[in-house]
Amino acid sequence: MEQGDKLLLWGLLILGAWCGAVSMVEAQGYWETVVNNAGIATMHAAVTHYGNVVLLDRTNVGPSQLNLAPGVCRDNPQDRASTHDCTAHSALFTPGSNDIRPLFVYTDTWCSSGQFDGSGKLVQTGGDADGLMKIRNFSPCGGGGCDWVELDGGLQQGRWYASNQILPDGTQIVVGGRGVGTVEYVPANGRGTYDVPLLYKSNDAQMDNLYPFVHLLPNNQLYIFANRDSILYDWQTNKVVRDYPTIPGEPRNYPSAGSSVLLPLSANADYGNVEVLVCGGAAYGAYMNPAGQTASQTCGRIAPLAAGAGWAMENMPMPRLMGDMILLPTRDVLIINGAGGGAQGWGNAVDPVKTPVLYKPYNAAGARMQTLTGSPIPRVYHSTANLLPDGRILVAGSNTHQFYTLTGYLPTELRIETFSPPYMGANRPTYAAVPGGLKYGGGFTATVKSAGAKNIELNMVSAPFVTHSYAQGQRLLQLEVSAPAAAGAGAYDVASKAPPNAAVAPGGYYMLFPVADGNVGYASWVKMG
């Protein structure tokens, strides 16, 4: 198999029991190493609407193992490690062919943030050193002509460890950052920076308010979570609307590194049954005094638009920090990557957690967690996980060292894997016809091939910017669908309706997945708005 062996991990396949072993494996998912050496460590990752994946590390680490195009070098007198560098610190990965194409990024993107805009352009903000106030754009393409463009105009304040969220008006709000208690907008459109009291209140001795969790709610307001506290924020007036109770347990943001998702929004509830999930974290002080303290084992759920909103707590099967949480096309949540103890930071991770957990939000409390097949490769600090249009999860990165360290305990990880969840069985649906563009509230029909299907869903998933255990801008929408109407040859016409407005689904590209009786097909990219 090209570039790696498929790792069917749930026992050895015995030739005489091949069929039974395969069905056990599929029930738990399977892993494949698709690239043995990507050349760069993947600190940030984002899937473009061409289906390829932007991989991004940082500069100021010296040469990577991926050369830039012949004759292309980065000459930056401000670089701390190598002022003349002919290697790449960003790349474009193409699933299927598994090709890696080097990209050219000039300023330091260490611990930066980002999001796709309505045109599908990746807008990337901040970083460290000469990247602190930079704005960079990547306009994706299907060929070899696209690359990073660094803008002349920058941010109003330096943003290091900030979070971005695209808004209904097409701009992005940039929230917080190291030593920064404000928000700003990109493009600013005449707006300045605005204080957010939560970001000052939550800034403890080890700065547990970095990479705050920011979710756009369908009422056009923002849920912002930092450390252990959270608010409802009106971005149009830049006012705090509501404070929420403190979540029990440990700090949840960088460097304590829990994760968070806005649970799927459904047309069946008029996109109004809103819940936020926060899982994992680290013991307070684990960053300042690294001694391998055990990570948090708890998850909390809150309904931020409900009267009397409070936290409902439950336990994961194992403690975890630095876990990535991914909304799956089945409307479940995958918790993947991470460590059982320590904190984010150089050399602080202990006890890598290699086993993903499937979280089923619609099950009763106590029956929501299922462990899946584990990978042999540890993925801790500076690792990523992204949903691909074919339903697989792309897993890359892991570097708990300041520079590339390819030997010893938890070395810098240059391999790229995919994880195929259990929903990728033999009976996957396909599209015979699907629209490429959707208008708010507009009806459309998709033709789905799936022999004998009893229930078909059309679930629309954004492509987030993933970094530091948080997928910025991630959301999933279960669309309104009619009962499937037989269209012949095992196909069904499914009448549906697009989301009602940009507060439910900000403009841009989404993966529209057909899901038939729990089996997930290959997504089609649709442009919303």
Side-chain angles (χ1 to χ4, degrees), residues 21-30 420-426:
V22 166
S23 80
M24 283 195 302
V25 167
E26 289 179 347
Q28 302 299 320
Y30 64 86
S420 297
Y423 56 62
M424 294 182 64

mmCIF file of all heavy atoms in Angstrom, residues 21-30 420-426:
data_model
loop_
_atom_site.group_PDB
_atom_site.id
_atom_site.type_symbol
_atom_site.label_atom_id
_atom_site.label_comp_id
_atom_site.label_asym_id
_atom_site.label_seq_id
_atom_site.Cartn_x
_atom_site.Cartn_y
_atom_site.Cartn_z
ATOM 1 N N ALA A 21 -12.723 -10.965 11.489
ATOM 2 C CA ALA A 21 -11.787 -9.950 11.981
ATOM 3 C C ALA A 21 -12.076 -8.596 11.373
ATOM 4 O O ALA A 21 -12.055 -7.580 12.047
ATOM 5 C CB ALA A 21 -10.350 -10.374 11.679
ATOM 6 N N VAL A 22 -12.392 -8.581 10.060
ATOM 7 C CA VAL A 22 -12.665 -7.310 9.414
ATOM 8 C C VAL A 22 -13.886 -6.650 10.036
ATOM 9 O O VAL A 22 -13.909 -5.466 10.308
ATOM 10 C CB VAL A 22 -12.850 -7.505 7.897
ATOM 11 C CG1 VAL A 22 -13.465 -6.265 7.268
ATOM 12 C CG2 VAL A 22 -11.509 -7.803 7.243
ATOM 13 N N SER A 23 -14.953 -7.425 10.325
ATOM 14 C CA SER A 23 -16.132 -6.793 10.879
ATOM 15 C C SER A 23 -15.854 -6.260 12.274
ATOM 16 O O SER A 23 -16.379 -5.225 12.654
ATOM 17 C CB SER A 23 -17.319 -7.755 10.872
ATOM 18 O OG SER A 23 -17.295 -8.645 11.913
ATOM 19 N N MET A 24 -14.994 -6.926 13.060
ATOM 20 C CA MET A 24 -14.630 -6.385 14.369
ATOM 21 C C MET A 24 -13.876 -5.069 14.205
ATOM 22 O O MET A 24 -14.122 -4.118 14.911
ATOM 23 C CB MET A 24 -13.743 -7.380 15.133
ATOM 24 C CG MET A 24 -14.499 -8.535 15.741
ATOM 25 S SD MET A 24 -13.479 -9.398 16.964
ATOM 26 C CE MET A 24 -12.068 -9.863 16.000
ATOM 27 N N VAL A 25 -12.951 -5.044 13.256
ATOM 28 C CA VAL A 25 -12.162 -3.845 13.026
ATOM 29 C C VAL A 25 -13.069 -2.692 12.614
ATOM 30 O O VAL A 25 -12.968 -1.582 13.118
ATOM 31 C CB VAL A 25 -11.091 -4.112 11.950
ATOM 32 C CG1 VAL A 25 -10.481 -2.813 11.457
ATOM 33 C CG2 VAL A 25 -10.005 -5.013 12.514
ATOM 34 N N GLU A 26 -13.990 -2.939 11.667
ATOM 35 C CA GLU A 26 -14.856 -1.877 11.197
ATOM 36 C C GLU A 26 -15.742 -1.336 12.310
ATOM 37 O O GLU A 26 -16.109 -0.172 12.309
ATOM 38 C CB GLU A 26 -15.698 -2.378 10.022
ATOM 39 C CG GLU A 26 -14.875 -2.585 8.755
ATOM 40 C CD GLU A 26 -15.705 -3.096 7.599
ATOM 41 O OE1 GLU A 26 -16.859 -3.514 7.843
ATOM 42 O OE2 GLU A 26 -15.202 -3.089 6.470
ATOM 43 N N ALA A 27 -16.079 -2.171 13.277
ATOM 44 C CA ALA A 27 -16.907 -1.711 14.386
ATOM 45 C C ALA A 27 -16.177 -0.711 15.260
ATOM 46 O O ALA A 27 -16.805 0.040 15.997
ATOM 47 C CB ALA A 27 -17.357 -2.913 15.223
ATOM 48 N N GLN A 28 -14.847 -0.704 15.191
ATOM 49 C CA GLN A 28 -14.055 0.201 16.020
ATOM 50 C C GLN A 28 -13.258 1.210 15.203
ATOM 51 O O GLN A 28 -12.579 2.063 15.771
ATOM 52 C CB GLN A 28 -13.079 -0.627 16.885
ATOM 53 C CG GLN A 28 -13.750 -1.654 17.789
ATOM 54 C CD GLN A 28 -14.694 -1.021 18.794
ATOM 55 O OE1 GLN A 28 -14.385 0.025 19.355
ATOM 56 N NE2 GLN A 28 -15.836 -1.633 19.018
ATOM 57 N N GLY A 29 -13.298 1.135 13.881
ATOM 58 C CA GLY A 29 -12.516 2.023 13.043
ATOM 59 C C GLY A 29 -11.123 1.497 12.791
ATOM 60 O O GLY A 29 -10.677 0.536 13.432
ATOM 61 N N TYR A 30 -10.416 2.103 11.829
ATOM 62 C CA TYR A 30 -9.050 1.666 11.559
ATOM 63 C C TYR A 30 -8.187 2.847 11.128
ATOM 64 O O TYR A 30 -8.674 3.885 10.681
ATOM 65 C CB TYR A 30 -8.997 0.540 10.519
ATOM 66 C CG TYR A 30 -9.466 0.901 9.141
ATOM 67 C CD1 TYR A 30 -8.602 1.477 8.211
ATOM 68 C CD2 TYR A 30 -10.770 0.633 8.735
ATOM 69 C CE1 TYR A 30 -9.020 1.785 6.929
ATOM 70 C CE2 TYR A 30 -11.202 0.939 7.456
ATOM 71 C CZ TYR A 30 -10.324 1.520 6.562
ATOM 72 O OH TYR A 30 -10.748 1.831 5.302
ATOM 73 N N SER A 420 -10.318 6.026 9.980
ATOM 74 C CA SER A 420 -11.615 5.772 9.362
ATOM 75 C C SER A 420 -12.580 5.318 10.446
ATOM 76 O O SER A 420 -12.441 4.215 10.985
ATOM 77 C CB SER A 420 -11.499 4.692 8.281
ATOM 78 O OG SER A 420 -10.641 5.127 7.235
ATOM 79 N N PRO A 421 -13.547 6.158 10.811
ATOM 80 C CA PRO A 421 -14.499 5.779 11.858
ATOM 81 C C PRO A 421 -15.377 4.605 11.437
ATOM 82 O O PRO A 421 -15.415 4.220 10.251
ATOM 83 C CB PRO A 421 -15.326 7.056 12.063
ATOM 84 C CG PRO A 421 -14.457 8.162 11.541
ATOM 85 C CD PRO A 421 -13.720 7.542 10.389
ATOM 86 N N PRO A 422 -16.121 4.039 12.383
ATOM 87 C CA PRO A 422 -16.933 2.857 12.065
ATOM 88 C C PRO A 422 -18.001 3.093 11.009
ATOM 89 O O PRO A 422 -18.480 2.136 10.399
ATOM 90 C CB PRO A 422 -17.578 2.519 13.419
ATOM 91 C CG PRO A 422 -16.647 3.072 14.442
ATOM 92 C CD PRO A 422 -16.077 4.316 13.830
ATOM 93 N N TYR A 423 -18.389 4.330 10.745
ATOM 94 C CA TYR A 423 -19.449 4.580 9.767
ATOM 95 C C TYR A 423 -18.987 4.392 8.329
ATOM 96 O O TYR A 423 -19.785 4.510 7.403
ATOM 97 C CB TYR A 423 -20.043 5.975 9.957
ATOM 98 C CG TYR A 423 -19.078 7.144 9.896
ATOM 99 C CD1 TYR A 423 -18.330 7.448 8.754
ATOM 100 C CD2 TYR A 423 -18.928 7.987 10.995
ATOM 101 C CE1 TYR A 423 -17.471 8.527 8.711
ATOM 102 C CE2 TYR A 423 -18.070 9.086 10.957
ATOM 103 C CZ TYR A 423 -17.345 9.350 9.815
ATOM 104 O OH TYR A 423 -16.502 10.428 9.774
ATOM 105 N N MET A 424 -17.688 4.113 8.118
ATOM 106 C CA MET A 424 -17.183 3.918 6.759
ATOM 107 C C MET A 424 -17.194 2.436 6.413
ATOM 108 O O MET A 424 -16.163 1.781 6.291
ATOM 109 C CB MET A 424 -15.787 4.526 6.618
ATOM 110 C CG MET A 424 -15.796 6.034 6.750
ATOM 111 S SD MET A 424 -14.171 6.800 6.547
ATOM 112 C CE MET A 424 -13.800 6.393 4.843
ATOM 113 N N GLY A 425 -18.381 1.885 6.273
ATOM 114 C CA GLY A 425 -18.529 0.475 5.934
ATOM 115 C C GLY A 425 -18.630 0.268 4.436
ATOM 116 O O GLY A 425 -18.290 1.131 3.625
ATOM 117 N N ALA A 426 -19.160 -0.892 4.046
ATOM 118 C CA ALA A 426 -19.219 -1.247 2.629
ATOM 119 C C ALA A 426 -20.414 -0.632 1.922
ATOM 120 O O ALA A 426 -20.431 -0.510 0.701
ATOM 121 C CB ALA A 426 -19.262 -2.768 2.489
#
